Amino acid sequence: MAGQTLIYKILRHHLADGNLRRGEECRIRIDQTLCQDATGTMAFLELEAMGVEQVKTELSVQYIDHNTSQFGPENHNDHLYLQSVCAAKGVWFSRPGNGICHQVHLERFGVPGKTLLGSDSHTPTNGGLGMVAIGAGGLDVAVAMAGKPFKMMAPRVIGVCLSGRLRPWVCAKDVILHLLSILSTKGNVGCAIEYFGPGVASLTVPERATITNMGAELGVTTSVFPSDDNTRAFLEAQGREAAWQPCSADPDAEYDRLIEIDLAELKPLAACPSSPDLIKPVAALQDTPVAQVIIGSCTNSSLKDLMLAAEIMRRHKVHPQVSLAIAPGSRQVMRMLADNGGLSALIGSGARILESACGPCIGQGMSPASDEVTVRTFNRNFKGRTGTAHDQCYLTGVESALMAAIHGRMVDPTTCSIQYPEWQMPEAFDTDDSMLIPPPSPAQAQKQKIVRKETVGQPPQCSPFPHELNGEVVIRVGDKTTTDHIMPAGVFLKLRSNIPEYAKEVFNCFNEPGKPTFAERAVSVREAGRQGVIVAGESYGQGSSREHAAICPMHLGVRLVLAVSIERIHAANLINFGILPLLFKAPEDLDKINQGDTVLLPDSPGQLSSGPEVELTVITADHRRFQLSCLHQLSEPDVQTVLAGGLLNLP
Ligand code: MIC
Ligand code: SF4
């Protein structure tokens, strides 16, 4: 029998139900959960609706890192709700200013060999520590906090064998951008990535975390590195040596697909506008004028990243045509940078220092000028995510971003004459946890009053799925439609706990001036007693885990999404909120359906329960009628969830 992959070793250890056979459904025990505020408010409202008194995980943490700009009372109202509900339910609370959830979790909580479920798609960042860390919708995380196992498909494992060592000026970000150039952002549903090989030992934990972080862009379920001496060194320096345990795949582990990467052969790369898989060497972009550079986000804002920035900017000034902004990933990073003089070097160079939070990564300020190039060390560059409709956003590692900040144009960093500053992991990080509030004793928790200001809404409600669906196509969208396109963040992020208001913005990037908006069209379909239908191409629902991309369409009466393919987290969110995800049996049928067409699904309980095939009738706007064969990938419990109108309607 072949040896085991690390992912399967960890999954086997956590198996609660089902078989660990690739492609089959299983349920795994979740040791830790994390939530961030933009998804956490809804997750906790759902947890309350489920009647859970105290969370049942080993550890659950709520971070405030996304909605920290606080224009108007909404964000702070959410923070107060979250702080109080965490105290009532037994959850750690990371206060605003303490940093980005994934970075802080890596520093203070992640444990090799454990499972982590987070209501954020970049939760696999902690795979850099040897965890099976998975992103999910808020409701799935609430269910895990309630102590129930997480339902997932046992993944196909892509083994990535690393050899060699990165050359100076080539960085961990280039590893994952290279992988994105091979695997792209679509077609990887049901896969997971495991890194192994002699090159692993040359990468520090923060570098590994950069790589696992952007596995989210590939659409894989999780990405994992082994836990080795570097992991131990990192945990020791965090004062958490007791959390270390070694874990790795068996030497003869078999992978479903093998990719080999010689780190020494990689070049500095960039993801070009407007998808993380449009990869070019920075050399091919040489001399492209750049107006803005931002270093930060959960991908590239560790102490290692920012010390590199500080060491280089100590001897350089920001180009007069460039605005350089820096958002340290955590308070720990910010403080160590301040104490060792790095912050002063950055300020001296002309950099603008931002809060330790997601900030510009989620469109909270720093939107670039129209059509000007912004170079960011982030993980997503979907059109408009910067807050500027006509943005030109490139994603690179810190090295290439700094070159752009100094020269005002793209420069391949391997061609520069600057000495590459080597970084040594500190023997001890600053481990002041005073911004982390631990859960009180259960007795104290019982006395905790939950603060519920007027803008903190209600958990969503949905009626059972209609026996005979009489739908109308409210929109038809193309390939790679992301959850940012479905439910914009940026200035609308503050509406996350107010579904009726937020729902007005569904698909707002496709609204045309003078014509009814998506929300208005959906509401007229709903008022006519019919159900809304969304038709989409490949890889629908890429990107963010925001369950609002299901909840808000559901609020507007959408009950069916018909697509060529649907990404994992979004498909789960649709089911959780009573929307039926169906796939075209023949992808070319996509071209036969248009906005305004009628879609009939007779006998939904019978059709959904009798196998994967579903027959629809389509009546086009010009009265042509035809049958359309579709497929569903729902398990029997999923079918029951959709028919009940979502998970919250089930006992
Ligand atoms: C993102 O990077 O898109 C976010 C904002 O972190 C999301 C979560 C959200 O929409 O609140 C994610 O990655 O899941
Ligand atoms: Fe925050 Fe950006 Fe990371 Fe999402 S990708 S968690 S918005 S820093």
Side-chain angles (χ1 to χ4, degrees):
M1 191 178 127
Q4 291 189 76
T5 63
L6 172 57
I7 291 175
Y8 270 80
K9 280 189 190 180
I10 299 176
L11 289 179
R12 189 148 288 128
H13 194 67
H14 288 84
L15 187 64
D17 197 6
N19 283 313
L20 271 182
R21 267 199 296 269
R22 282 153 168 75
E24 288 187 19
E25 197 170 284
C26 63
R27 283 168 199 267
I28 58 161
R29 265 185 308 104
I30 296 298
D31 300 321
Q32 301 189 347
T33 64
L34 72 76
C35 291
Q36 41 90 338
D37 51 321
T39 53
T41 310
M42 202 44 74
F44 276 94
L45 288 168
E46 290 154 1
L47 188 81
E48 285 193 272
M50 284 155 47
V52 174
E53 291 293 328
Q54 285 275 294
V55 297
K56 308 261 180 356
T57 44
E58 286 176 14
L59 173 104
S60 286
V61 193
Q62 167 66 50
Y63 295 89
I64 305 293
D65 54 356
H66 280 62
N67 277 325
T68 55
S69 46
Q70 298 180 217
F71 294 109
E74 294 90 341
N75 297 164
H76 199 188
N77 287 350
D78 283 353
H79 303 173
L80 294 179
Y81 164 71
L82 286 168
Q83 183 164 355
S84 60
V85 78
C86 283
K89 305 286 174 200
V91 175
W92 284 79
F93 183 75
S94 176
R95 296 170 59 194
N98 199 38
I100 304 173
C101 53
H102 312 301
Q103 174 68 26
V104 179
H105 208 87
L106 195 76
E107 293 167 355
R108 306 308 305 143
F109 294 114
V111 176
K114 298 253 177 200
T115 52
L116 168 68
L117 193 73
S119 63
D120 191 282
S121 64
H122 291 105
T123 303
T125 310
N126 272 258
L129 269 181
M131 299 189 87
V132 165
I134 302 176
L139 183 50
D140 280 331
V141 178
V143 168
M145 285 195 275
K148 302 205 180 120
F150 174 63
K151 174 168 65 70
M152 63 182 282
M153 199 196 278
R156 282 183 297 123
V157 183
I158 302 174
V160 178
C161 179
L162 302 177
S163 60
R165 171 181 269 277
L166 292 167
R167 291 179 292 142
W169 301 105
V170 184
C171 59
K173 182 70 153 278
D174 300 315
V175 178
I176 187 65
L177 293 181
H178 176 66
L179 212 50
L180 274 152
S181 76
I182 300 173
L183 293 172
S184 89
T185 57
K186 58 186 174 65
N188 304 312
V189 175
C191 296
I193 296 194
E194 183 164 313
Y195 295 87
F196 68 101
V200 166
S202 69
L203 298 170
T204 60
V205 166
E207 289 173 307
R208 297 173 188 185
T210 294
I211 296 171
T212 53
N213 172 281
M214 280 190 80
E217 276 47 74
L218 297 165
V220 297
T221 306
T222 189
S223 300
V224 184
F225 270 86
S227 165
D228 58 9
D229 287 346
N230 288 0
T231 321
R232 174 165 40 194
F234 177 80
L235 288 171
E236 263 172 18
Q238 291 287 350
R240 301 203 293 120
E241 51 277 27
W244 184 73
Q245 57 159 318
C247 53
S248 58
D250 291 334
D252 57 343
E254 274 184 11
Y255 294 96
D256 297 276
R257 177 173 174 189
L258 186 63
I259 296 176
E260 296 191 51
I261 300 179
D262 180 352
L263 297 173
E265 287 195 349
L266 294 180
K267 307 184 201 45
L269 298 172
C272 301
S274 293
S275 178
D277 61 359
L278 294 177
I279 308 296
K280 284 194 181 157
V282 175
L285 302 165
Q286 188 82 9
D287 294 335
T288 307
V290 173
Q292 186 193 55
V293 175
I294 310 184
I295 296 175
S297 92
C298 55
T299 316
N300 273 125
S301 59
S302 65
L303 186 63
K304 177 186 189 299
D305 290 319
L306 296 202
M307 280 313 294
L308 176 79
E311 286 312 318
I312 291 174
M313 296 315 286
R314 202 182 287 288
R315 287 180 293 277
H316 294 89
K317 293 279 180 221
V318 178
H319 188 277
Q321 297 299 330
V322 176
S323 176
L324 168 67
I326 312 258
S330 68
R331 176 169 171 265
Q332 178 184 85
V333 172
M334 175 85 103
R335 196 158 178 203
M336 290 182 74
L337 208 60
D339 288 348
N340 67 20
L343 191 58
S344 168
L346 288 169
I347 295 170
S349 75
R352 301 164 65 179
I353 308 300
L354 307 179
E355 187 181 14
S356 293
C358 299
C361 182
I362 190 57
Q364 298 288 290
M366 304 296 300
S367 301
S370 295
D371 301 313
E372 295 292 335
V373 168
T374 176
V375 176
R376 301 175 167 210
T377 66
F378 303 174
N379 46 39
R380 289 186 173 145
N381 58 348
F382 308 141
K383 189 117 216 104
R385 183 169 156 111
T386 59
T388 298
H390 297 281
D391 56 10
Q392 291 294 318
C393 180
Y394 291 80
L395 308 173
T396 69
V398 176
E399 289 78 349
S400 301
L402 289 168
M403 290 299 120
I406 294 168
H407 298 285
R409 57 194 169 80
M410 290 285 208
V411 170
D412 176 350
T414 57
T415 62
C416 80
S417 53
I418 307 170
Q419 173 81 25
Y420 188 75
E422 287 303 330
W423 186 71
Q424 286 299 328
M425 169 109 66
E427 274 177 22
F429 286 94
D430 173 354
T431 55
D432 166 12
D433 284 336
S434 55
M435 295 282 275
L436 282 170
I437 304 179
S441 67
Q444 279 299 110
Q446 270 198 338
K447 294 192 215 133
Q448 175 69 44
K449 192 170 163 316
I450 297 178
V451 182
R452 236 180 273 278
K453 303 269 184 193
E454 67 289 354
T455 56
V456 176
Q458 296 294 322
Q461 286 189 327
C462 181
S463 55
F465 198 83
H467 201 279
E468 313 282 325
L469 179 124
N470 177 358
E472 179 174 324
V473 179
V474 190
I475 198 167
R476 194 184 84 160
V477 291
D479 292 344
K480 289 172 126 183
T481 301
T482 72
T483 44
D484 275 78
H485 294 114
I486 306 170
M487 242 15 280
V491 290
F492 304 110
L493 204 54
K494 68 177 187 175
L495 300 177
R496 283 285 175 93
S497 48
N498 186 341
I499 300 301
E501 277 306 304
Y502 199 23
K504 292 180 185 158
E505 307 305 330
V506 177
F507 283 123
N508 79 0
C509 62
F510 296 124
N511 289 340
E512 290 176 54
K515 296 200 178 154
T517 63
F518 173 89
E520 288 163 346
R521 298 197 305 273
V523 167
S524 23
V525 170
R526 188 184 68 193
E527 284 174 353
R530 304 177 68 199
Q531 294 80 38
V533 178
I534 293 170
V535 174
E538 264 186 279
S539 194
Y540 182 69
Q542 276 191 8
S544 160
S545 64
R546 60 192 71 153
E547 58 187 359
H548 299 78
I551 297 174
C552 292
M554 176 273 277
H555 177 81
L556 298 173
V558 171
R559 299 310 295 264
L560 172 63
V561 168
L562 185 52
V564 174
S565 63
I566 306 178
E567 291 297 312
R568 174 186 66 88
I569 304 179
H570 189 57
N573 288 339
L574 291 173
I575 295 167
N576 282 350
F577 292 98
I579 299 179
L580 174 63
L582 286 185
L583 304 182
F584 288 100
K585 196 168 172 192
E588 56 279 11
D589 283 347
L590 168 66
D591 297 330
K592 297 186 185 157
I593 306 191
N594 288 302
Q595 191 176 310
D597 290 355
T598 292
V599 177
L600 305 176
L601 165 52
D603 182 22
S604 52
Q607 288 217 56
L608 291 176
S609 304
S610 60
E613 303 243 352
V614 176
E615 283 295 307
L616 304 179
T617 303
V618 178
I619 306 168
T620 62
D622 56 1
H623 310 297
R624 278 178 305 110
R625 191 182 179 105
F626 59 91
Q627 292 301 111
L628 186 72
S629 299
C630 297
L631 297 172
H632 77 75
Q633 295 178 320
L634 279 60
S635 62
E636 191 43 40
D638 289 341
V639 169
Q640 295 316 322
T641 306
V642 169
L643 294 177
L647 211 53
L648 290 174
N649 288 349
L650 288 174

